[in-house]
Amino acid sequence: VMAGKLKSGKTKSCGCYNKDRINKHGFSGTRFNQLYRSIKYRCTNPRANKFYLYGGKGIKCLWKSFEEFRDDTYESYLSHVEKFGEYETQIDRIDSDKNYS
């Protein structure tokens, strides 16, 4: 950031502020976070490749935030990863006609 912009107040941060705010939970960029984002995407975005199998069928993601998802599933996720490896670990629904919860 140019010093003049900081001094004038036009720029308030070098970018660290936004980076810290966006990654407030510490999971940005992780496979676990990507699993959550994929669930939300296929349940809410009509442009998603398989939306018709999820959101188009009325399937919802009932976790209201990533933090709620993390608190509900992370311990189980880690246990499964330890036994079977990260890429053999998925977040699935027991009944394919019901919501993610």
Side-chain angles (χ1 to χ4, degrees):
V1 173
M2 296 178 72
K5 288 190 177 192
L6 282 173
K7 289 177 185 175
S8 71
K10 288 183 181 180
T11 301
K12 303 212 182 291
S13 167
C14 65
C16 293
Y17 170 77
N18 283 334
K19 191 177 188 181
D20 290 343
R21 186 179 56 80
I22 290 167
N23 191 22
K24 65 184 176 195
H25 49 64
F27 283 83
S28 291
T30 65
R31 184 163 185 283
F32 183 72
N33 183 261
Q34 185 57 46
L35 289 170
Y36 172 74
R37 291 167 48 108
S38 294
I39 290 168
K40 293 292 278 189
Y41 183 73
R42 65 180 164 254
C43 289
T44 61
N45 190 335
R47 288 186 242 150
N49 194 21
K50 297 200 176 180
F51 176 78
Y52 69 97
L53 295 172
Y54 298 92
K57 277 180 40 178
I59 305 298
K60 295 180 176 86
C61 176
L62 300 183
W63 294 292
K64 291 178 176 52
S65 66
F66 172 77
E67 290 78 11
E68 191 176 300
F69 168 77
R70 176 200 61 206
D71 294 347
D72 196 29
T73 64
Y74 193 58
E75 190 175 309
S76 175
Y77 173 82
L78 288 178
S79 176
H80 197 278
V81 166
E82 190 174 307
K83 288 181 187 174
F84 301 101
E86 189 168 32
Y87 292 97
E88 295 298 323
T89 300
Q90 298 290 322
I91 306 293
D92 288 322
R93 293 166 293 136
I94 295 170
D95 183 335
S96 63
D97 291 325
K98 295 197 176 174
N99 299 318
Y100 284 97
S101 60

